Amino acid sequence: MSSSERTPDPTRRSERSRRSILSAAFELVSEVGYGKLTIEAIAARAGVGKQTIYRWWPSKGAVVLDAFLARGESEQGEIRLPDTGDIEADLKAVLRPTVEELKDPRYDVPFRALLIEAQTDPTLTAQIVERLLEPQMEATRERLRSARRAGQLAGDADLDVAVELLFGPLYHRWLLRTAPLTERYADTVVELALRALRPAGRD
Amino acid sequence: MSSSERTPDPTRRSERSRRSILSAAFELVSEVGYGKLTIEAIAARAGVGKQTIYRWWPSKGAVVLDAFLARGESEQGEIRLPDTGDIEADLKAVLRPTVEELKDPRYDVPFRALLIEAQTDPTLTAQIVERLLEPQMEATRERLRSARRAGQLAGDADLDVAVELLFGPLYHRWLLRTAPLTERYADTVVELALRALRPAGRD
């Protein structure tokens, strides 16, 4: 038995508080909407003092972003795309759940709110890109790299643009509401993007 | 000489007021930002009563949207893409100026603000899609249709998805700030989208 199990562990207690705050934020943003969400309400639901939240997060947006990311941690661990050898199937296996998530009010409402906040808060924007969007894009890029090594994509395919060719049309339809966002749409986007990226002469 | 030229014309006077209001809104939103823009300030700058604005527009968002659209009217007339026979050049001739516009603070600030408003105002969203985005997308679709008729695109190319494959990656990078938005990026998006849409076996 290590000494840390015999004495109270402040790190562990902090971690419990952190998790309570993030769960409370995630639940509340769905219940009351982002605009009406307050740090006071999050503190009350989490059973902590308001000052605890202010000590760890600079803004409401920062708490909600962490609440989002904490969801990801518990559900997915590190982001990694399947690699079955079939690049089309593997990309569809990522874009379809992304569509489902964007349509799920538990994600749609707070994620939209975060992106609204980000438009006028450059620090939050940078955090969203670095911690929420980039890991997903990098995992996708990694899967595309593997397909390129296998000769399934053109050797000179620009993978930075490729990932935005995949996610861009999804976010465009979701954020601008140009038309209904469906799994069929995600599939078509994958199929078109792959035609764009395959080696010359192969369709 | 028709009788309408001899008597004061209330329609024409209204049209003058409308134009003054829209110019004032467009100028002010760049000067003070969307958040601090007020109907009062627009009325004062346009030299009209506040009530005139409230009579014609239901919300600040609606005035700013019309200010945006009025810009388009005077600068472009009906939206129509060039048709030189070279689909790649013609699409680049549209996406490059779109990038420039999105980066120009005179457009970036109010357009971003409109899209923020739209996230919580379904009527404004529908208006933005119908009056601002859809005309541009339909003009692009029309140019793609012409290329398809000329055998430059696959006969079964889904042109509704195709336009979002072109604009989606632009808006993705602009709204989510994943990386710098450049003309080179717009060109690469056009080149990739066209590879996706060309007839099988042609690259």
Side-chain angles (χ1 to χ4, degrees):
Chain A
M1 188 185 268
S2 77
S3 67
S4 71
E5 287 176 28
R6 267 175 287 150
T7 54
D9 182 343
T11 308
R12 197 173 293 173
R13 212 173 48 222
S14 283
E15 180 57 22
R16 261 203 311 273
S17 295
R18 195 183 76 92
R19 295 236 153 242
S20 303
I21 292 164
L22 297 180
S23 298
F26 194 83
E27 289 164 22
L28 279 167
V29 78
S30 294
E31 290 171 24
V32 305
Y34 185 87
K36 290 186 179 146
L37 181 68
T38 61
I39 296 289
E40 285 76 2
I42 299 171
R45 170 85 52 109
V48 303
K50 223 166 63 169
Q51 286 313 316
T52 305
I53 299 182
Y54 284 124
R55 198 163 60 234
W56 290 338
W57 289 276
S59 67
K60 186 167 87 171
V63 186
V64 174
L65 173 59
D66 270 4
F68 235 78
L69 289 164
R71 265 334 259 200
E73 278 164 32
S74 57
E75 281 177 10
Q76 320 167 343
E78 192 199 353
I79 299 177
R80 204 179 172 83
L81 263 65
D83 192 344
T84 65
D86 180 344
I87 179 70
E88 182 173 324
D90 292 350
L91 290 174
K92 286 180 179 175
V94 171
L95 264 66
R96 282 181 194 169
T98 301
V99 163
E100 286 316 299
E101 214 171 87
L102 291 174
K103 289 169 71 174
D104 179 341
R106 288 180 312 144
Y107 291 87
D108 176 293
V109 173
F111 192 21
R112 226 175 261 278
L114 269 180
L115 294 177
I116 291 176
E117 280 288 291
Q119 299 304 316
T120 52
D121 180 345
T123 312
L124 184 61
T125 308
Q127 290 276 308
I128 290 173
V129 171
E130 187 189 321
R131 300 174 59 206
L132 189 61
L133 303 176
E134 185 50 42
Q136 169 106 350
M137 292 200 295
E138 176 50 27
T140 306
R141 224 178 268 124
E142 184 50 39
R143 181 62 190 87
L144 291 170
R145 261 183 228 119
S146 148
R148 193 167 60 181
R149 278 194 301 273
Q152 294 161 350
L153 303 186
D156 62 352
D158 183 329
L159 302 188
D160 288 318
V161 181
V163 289
E164 297 202 63
L165 205 67
L166 288 163
F167 289 106
L170 257 54
Y171 280 97
H172 188 261
R173 195 165 273 202
W174 177 62
L175 277 167
L176 306 183
R177 303 185 202 263
T178 46
L181 186 59
T182 61
E183 291 202 348
R184 181 72 208 107
Y185 176 67
D187 284 356
T188 306
V189 168
V190 168
E191 289 156 19
L192 285 171
L194 283 176
R195 286 189 57 165
L197 299 168
R198 291 209 194 279
R202 282 228 255 153
D203 279 288
Chain B
M1 189 184 267
S2 77
S3 67
S4 71
E5 287 174 27
R6 267 174 287 150
T7 54
D9 182 344
T11 309
R12 196 171 294 173
R13 212 172 49 219
S14 283
E15 181 54 23
R16 263 202 310 273
S17 296
R18 195 182 77 92
R19 295 235 153 242
S20 304
I21 292 164
L22 297 180
S23 298
F26 195 82
E27 288 164 23
L28 279 167
V29 78
S30 293
E31 290 171 23
V32 304
Y34 185 87
K36 289 184 181 150
L37 180 69
T38 62
I39 297 289
E40 284 76 2
I42 298 171
R45 169 85 52 110
V48 303
K50 220 164 67 168
Q51 286 314 315
T52 304
I53 300 182
Y54 284 124
R55 199 162 59 233
W56 290 338
W57 288 278
S59 67
K60 185 167 87 171
V63 186
V64 174
L65 173 59
D66 271 4
F68 234 80
L69 289 164
R71 269 327 263 198
E73 277 164 35
S74 57
E75 282 178 10
Q76 318 167 344
E78 192 199 351
I79 299 177
R80 204 180 173 81
L81 263 65
D83 192 344
T84 65
D86 180 344
I87 179 72
E88 183 173 323
D90 292 350
L91 289 175
K92 286 179 179 174
V94 171
L95 263 68
R96 283 181 192 168
T98 301
V99 162
E100 286 316 300
E101 212 171 87
L102 291 174
K103 289 169 72 176
D104 178 342
R106 288 180 311 143
Y107 290 88
D108 176 294
V109 172
F111 192 22
R112 226 175 260 279
L114 268 180
L115 294 177
I116 290 175
E117 280 287 291
Q119 299 304 316
T120 53
D121 180 345
T123 312
L124 184 61
T125 308
Q127 290 275 308
I128 290 173
V129 171
E130 189 189 320
R131 299 174 57 207
L132 189 61
L133 303 175
E134 184 51 40
Q136 169 106 349
M137 291 200 295
E138 176 51 26
T140 307
R141 225 178 267 125
E142 184 50 39
R143 180 63 190 87
L144 291 169
R145 260 181 230 121
S146 149
R148 193 168 60 182
R149 277 194 303 272
Q152 295 162 350
L153 303 186
D156 63 350
D158 183 330
L159 301 188
D160 287 319
V161 181
V163 289
E164 297 202 62
L165 205 65
L166 288 163
F167 289 104
L170 258 54
Y171 281 96
H172 188 262
R173 195 164 272 203
W174 176 62
L175 277 167
L176 306 183
R177 304 184 201 263
T178 45
L181 186 59
T182 61
E183 290 203 348
R184 180 74 209 105
Y185 176 67
D187 285 355
T188 306
V189 168
V190 167
E191 289 156 19
L192 284 171
L194 284 177
R195 286 188 58 165
L197 299 169
R198 291 208 195 279
R202 284 227 254 153
D203 276 289

